[in-house]
Amino acid sequence: MIGKVPQIEGAYVATGHSVWGILNAPATGEALAELIVNGMARSTDLRPFDPTRLLPFDRSFVHPR
């Protein structure tokens, strides 16, 4: 996930790179900086990584022990 955290003003996330983090960090940092400063990333299409693409957590799926 890379992008603005929904419902939390000024919060951004860049995570989920797994073992490829050291290789992807420069591109992720550049894209995230563009998103923060300009409101959109021009160097990379971040739509596939947008945190808002996930549904909100539904506690009804958690079964009590």
Side-chain angles (χ1 to χ4, degrees), residues 2-18:
I2 305 169
K4 186 168 177 30
V5 176
Q7 301 176 351
I8 302 177
E9 185 64 34
Y12 294 83
V13 66
T15 187
H17 292 85
S18 187

Side-chain angles (χ1 to χ4, degrees), residues 35-63:
L35 179 63
I36 292 169
V37 172
N38 302 321
M40 66 175 290
R42 295 181 184 192
S43 62
T44 306
D45 180 8
L46 293 179
R47 287 178 294 182
F49 311 106
D50 188 347
T52 61
R53 78 187 196 294
L54 303 174
L55 296 174
F57 179 69
D58 185 350
R59 292 187 184 273
S60 68
F61 290 116
V62 178
H63 300 287

